[in-house]
Amino acid sequence: MLLDPLRIPNTVWSDPAVGDALTRRDVGALFRRIGQLTGASQTRIGAAVGLEQGYVSRVMAGRKVTSIEVLERIADGCRMPDQARMALGLAPQDRPCHLDMASPPKQRESDLPVNRSWRDDVRAAAQLWEGDVNRRDVIRQMAFSSAGYTLTALRWFTAPAAPPVVHAGTRTVGQPDIETIREMTTTYRRLDNQYGGGHARATVARYLHQEVTPLLDNGRYETSTGRKLLSAVAELTQLAGWQAYDVADHGIAQLYLTRALDLARAAGDASLGAEILAAMSHQATYLGHGATGIDLARAAGQTAQRAGLTVLTAEASVMEAHGHAMVRDERACTAALHQAEKTLDRADRSSAPQWLGYFDEAYLSAKFGHCFRALGKPAQAERFAARSLRMDERYIRGKAFNLALLATAQAQQGELERACVVGAEALTLTSRLQSARAARYVRELQAELVPYRRRPTVQQFIRRVDAVLGTRR
């Protein structure tokens, strides 16, 4: 059940108890007072600020919140005016304020845009890696927020050009260090495709924390090397986010992808930025936020065009199409699919980065299949799902996805025997993966077959799914 968005009247911010809670950074008192003034439940407050209800409950019971990351998310989710943000110790956002909080003139003069430096982005990323490795509760309790991606994408387009990436540390950083990070990323990406995001997610987080953080903090590098370093780190951070997404750690995935985009912006890497925006669109659409998925895909497309990367422009178009399909806009979906196909046909793949190697005709066909499935057109979905299986066999997880898609389309057309045979193949591959997404697609196939469970073949398949993935509640 979707919750109504939390709307906090402007008068709340002039409430003395709210002002006192902000000044003392007492988030628990702030939440309690907001609940009293608006009638909002813990669940509703948590949904607004991107935190699990259980974590909100512990904060309201007295747990302290000290992480700037979390405080920023709370401020954004509550749509705090700048005076409230500053009372909480955060930078203003230079947006209009409509509140009656008394504020001396000198304080209002400080309400100016604050440019975020690349060092701030590095510091925030390092805090995330450390918190993830140490399994800090504040990181683990993060929930996905579509508004968080909207603000991130806006910053990508509106933030001023990043200053020179220069650092005077004690250790000289050179091309070999950068190549090592890229080689590790290639290795982890291969493992991700073959075994699922859960296989090496913790290892990637440790590598970022233990190996990459010291390089950024203690390294000595000039602008050219510094930007290459940040680009390599952004790519690995994006992969860590993708892994978290694959195992359904969606709040953590959002944090990683957000940090990756910030690092890509600091590095001046528009191509990688477009790819990260496309990944954000992918996650948002998967979670049912079709409108946000569309916006992010369009942002990815504009960025890819700016970077002159035609293959990535095609990917952005198909991501946009999937968002349109999720909101049942068939005309817009069809137009975006046509654009994606046409763009990919004229793309020069020789100039595409290595990390974009997965995007080919088979991947495009799979996305076509998902779009038609979302539109309730199983015959078309089956046709494209079958085409998607003409794929690179190294992408084990992708093959599991495509088999499940094909079997689901067959089940929806009443082809039960074929659906069970193909579904069994998907289940076999899924059993070898640590991938919540792969399991979800098989479960969705199982749900399609439940109405026919009295048939022996179907009953056998349903039981096998439960035996492999666990009995479904």
Side-chain angles (χ1 to χ4, degrees):
M1 181 178 68
L2 295 176
L3 295 172
D4 292 332
L6 177 61
R7 294 182 175 87
I8 301 177
N10 292 328
T11 54
V12 167
W13 305 111
S14 61
D15 180 79
V18 169
D20 180 63
L22 291 169
T23 303
R24 292 186 292 108
R25 271 196 177 178
D26 189 339
V27 178
L30 175 65
F31 284 168
R32 289 194 297 273
R33 188 58 177 159
I34 287 176
Q36 291 169 358
L37 295 174
T38 66
S41 65
Q42 293 179 3
T43 301
R44 195 172 173 197
I45 292 173
V49 301
L51 296 170
E52 298 288 350
Q53 180 273 328
Y55 185 75
V56 172
S57 177
R58 289 192 289 277
V59 169
M60 293 175 73
R63 184 179 188 126
K64 297 297 182 183
V65 176
T66 58
S67 166
I68 295 297
E69 180 83 45
V70 179
L71 292 172
E72 284 280 3
R73 179 172 282 220
I74 291 169
D76 291 339
C78 292
R79 298 184 179 274
M80 285 185 189
D82 280 342
Q83 280 87 345
R85 290 178 61 89
M86 289 187 292
L88 193 58
L90 302 177
Q93 292 187 331
D94 194 35
R95 60 185 178 218
C97 300
H98 305 286
L99 73 165
D100 300 321
M101 289 178 67
S103 179
K106 288 183 179 179
Q107 194 174 27
R108 289 189 183 279
E109 288 173 4
S110 69
D111 190 4
L112 298 171
V114 176
N115 295 334
R116 186 183 179 98
S117 74
W118 68 267
R119 289 184 176 85
D120 293 327
D121 295 325
V122 166
R123 191 178 302 113
Q127 288 174 350
L128 170 60
W129 304 333
E130 181 185 14
D132 192 15
V133 168
N134 294 328
R135 302 184 64 82
R136 287 183 182 161
D137 193 40
V138 69
I139 299 294
R140 297 281 160 181
Q141 295 293 339
M142 285 293 188
F144 178 85
S145 167
S146 60
Y149 271 162
T150 302
L151 293 170
T152 300
L154 179 64
R155 184 166 68 240
W156 168 260
F157 282 108
T158 61
V165 182
V166 179
H167 198 253
T170 57
R171 171 184 172 183
T172 300
V173 176
Q175 191 60 31
D177 299 294
I178 297 169
E179 289 301 323
T180 298
I181 295 174
R182 294 204 181 279
E183 287 293 332
M184 294 298 290
T185 303
T186 299
T187 299
Y188 290 136
R189 197 180 297 281
R190 176 178 56 80
L191 294 172
D192 176 62
N193 287 320
Q194 292 184 345
Y195 302 105
H199 177 75
R201 195 185 96 65
T203 305
V204 172
R206 282 196 300 272
Y207 180 77
L208 284 165
H209 173 52
Q210 296 173 359
E211 303 296 333
V212 174
T213 296
L215 205 62
L216 293 167
D217 285 347
N218 305 324
R220 182 169 66 252
Y221 39 86
E222 41 73 36
T223 298
S224 176
T225 300
R227 290 201 165 187
K228 291 176 183 176
L229 174 62
L230 289 190
S231 176
V233 175
E235 183 185 346
L236 183 54
T237 303
Q238 186 264 346
L239 175 60
W242 191 257
Q243 292 174 317
Y245 165 32
D246 192 47
V247 296
D249 286 338
H250 291 294
I252 297 176
Q254 183 172 33
L255 289 175
Y256 269 100
L257 293 177
T258 297
R259 294 295 162 236
L261 188 65
D262 289 339
L263 293 171
R265 181 183 60 81
D269 193 335
S271 297
L272 182 58
E275 172 70 359
I276 296 167
L277 286 164
M280 291 174 169
S281 172
H282 199 296
Q283 184 192 21
T285 299
Y286 176 84
L287 292 175
H289 300 275
T292 301
I294 293 167
D295 289 341
L296 290 166
R298 287 172 174 168
Q302 291 178 23
T303 304
Q305 288 178 359
R306 188 176 71 194
L309 198 53
T310 309
V311 177
L312 195 47
T313 305
E315 180 187 15
S317 292
V318 80
M319 293 299 175
E320 180 182 345
H322 200 181
H324 287 305
M326 286 297 296
V327 299
R328 295 302 183 98
D329 189 340
E330 184 175 348
R331 177 178 294 182
C333 175
T334 302
L337 288 176
H338 177 68
Q339 184 63 39
E341 195 170 36
K342 188 169 64 173
T343 304
L344 188 61
D345 283 343
R346 69 169 188 268
D348 178 12
R349 296 174 184 275
S350 63
S351 61
Q354 181 184 10
W355 43 256
L356 198 52
Y358 68 89
F359 190 79
D360 55 14
E361 285 79 4
Y363 186 94
L364 187 68
S365 294
K367 294 301 291 183
F368 271 57
H370 281 289
C371 287
F372 285 117
R373 179 192 170 191
L375 290 171
K377 296 180 175 295
Q380 291 94 320
E382 180 184 12
R383 184 167 71 252
F384 284 104
R387 288 185 192 175
S388 73
L389 291 170
R390 305 169 193 166
M391 61 182 296
D392 187 331
E393 294 290 330
R394 291 175 297 178
Y395 293 98
I396 304 299
R397 181 181 55 201
K399 187 173 183 180
F401 292 168
N402 297 349
L403 285 167
L405 173 65
L406 175 60
T408 300
Q410 291 168 339
Q412 289 173 340
Q413 297 176 86
E415 301 172 8
L416 305 181
E417 298 292 329
R418 293 176 63 196
C420 289
V421 171
V422 176
E425 292 184 63
L427 180 61
T428 297
L429 292 182
T430 299
S431 68
R432 304 171 189 168
L433 298 167
Q434 295 183 43
S435 168
R437 285 191 295 153
R440 170 177 161 173
Y441 290 137
V442 172
R443 287 296 196 187
E444 289 175 350
L445 169 61
Q446 184 188 38
E448 290 287 346
L449 292 169
V450 164
Y452 312 99
R453 60 185 175 276
R454 292 187 178 180
R455 299 195 181 192
T457 304
V458 173
Q459 186 179 81
Q460 182 180 10
F461 175 75
I462 289 174
R463 287 177 175 173
R464 186 181 170 195
V465 171
D466 287 338
V468 173
L469 302 182
T471 303
R472 194 170 193 174
R473 292 181 181 177

